[in-house]
């Protein structure tokens, strides 16, 4: 639940400011995913408007979303988006939830930074959910501009980490 700070190491993530900014310019978190039942590899985009940042998302044992962590509810009667999770620590089931599960899934590099995140996501046929293994987006879509365009983006900014002449 912290980000790097040059003076003090880690500093807390301001979830209130994050929620405000997300309402103005929604964050979309991209992850690679393997559907366990079919072996199908695809890109998944997580976001608050899809309910992915809610407390119960990413942890099947928390189905229905828990209000016990101080989040109250939103205008639709569901659990609040933020800041109901005060810490990125795993829950009683050993799984991260909500925003933290999405961030973890998008940053996990199998073999280097841990095992893929197990999440229940819509099946490739869109009719039900199934278990997926999620990991860093670069594993399937190194520059996720296709996902951005599929999500309706009209502009994409991509930064290179190497010069154009690099082979």
């Amino acid at each position: 639940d912290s980000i790097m700070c040059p003076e003090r190491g880690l500093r807390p993530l301001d979830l209130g400011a994050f929620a405000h900014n997300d309402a103005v310019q929604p964050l979309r978190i991209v992850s690679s995913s393997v559907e366990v039942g079919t072996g199908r590899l695809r890109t998944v985009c997580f976001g608050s408007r899809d309910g992915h940042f809610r407390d119960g998302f990413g942890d099947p044992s928390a189905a229905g979303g828990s209000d016990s962590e101080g989040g109250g509810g939103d205008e639709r009667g569901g659990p609040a988006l933020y800041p109901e999770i005060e810490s990125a620590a795993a829950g009683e089931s050993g799984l991260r939830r909500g925003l933290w599960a999405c961030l973890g899934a998008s940053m996990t590099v199998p073999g280097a930074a841990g095992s893929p995140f197990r999440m229940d996501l819509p099946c490739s046929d869109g009719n039900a959910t199934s278990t997926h293994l999620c990991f860093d987006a670069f594993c399937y879509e190194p520059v996720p501009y296709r996902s951005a365009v599929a999500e309706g983006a009209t502009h994409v900014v991509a930064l290179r980490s190497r010069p154009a002449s690099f082979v």
Side-chain angles (χ1 to χ4, degrees):
D1 66 346
S2 301
I3 54 176
M4 295 303 297
C5 172
E7 296 85 34
R8 296 179 306 247
L10 294 176
R11 62 181 173 181
L13 176 60
D14 184 343
L15 288 172
F18 177 83
H20 172 76
N21 293 333
D22 186 53
V24 175
Q25 178 64 51
L27 173 66
R28 300 300 289 170
I29 299 172
V30 181
S31 176
S32 295
S33 165
V34 174
E35 189 173 342
V36 173
T38 65
R40 183 169 183 248
L41 186 61
R42 66 183 176 129
T43 301
V44 178
C45 294
F46 301 113
S48 60
R49 291 185 180 162
D50 301 319
H52 297 131
F53 297 171
R54 293 189 183 282
D55 191 26
F57 182 76
D59 182 353
S61 69
S66 167
D67 290 339
S68 64
E69 303 208 26
D74 68 8
E75 66 279 358
R76 294 171 297 197
L81 290 176
Y82 318 101
E84 82 280 17
I85 302 172
E86 294 296 327
S87 172
E92 291 179 16
S93 66
L95 300 172
R96 288 193 167 95
R97 302 175 310 277
L99 172 64
W100 308 114
C102 298
L103 289 170
S106 75
M107 295 184 289
T108 301
V109 179
S115 300
F117 273 61
R118 295 182 73 88
M119 301 178 120
D120 288 336
L121 300 172
C123 294
S124 52
D125 64 13
N127 292 328
T129 60
S130 67
T131 302
H132 287 68
L133 300 177
C134 297
F135 43 90
D136 195 302
F138 92 87
C139 294
Y140 180 64
E141 190 177 1
V143 181
Y145 70 91
R146 289 181 183 93
S147 297
V149 171
E151 292 255 320
T154 57
H155 297 76
V156 176
V157 176
L159 304 175
R160 287 190 214 180
S161 60
R162 296 184 173 99
S165 61
F166 183 81
V167 177

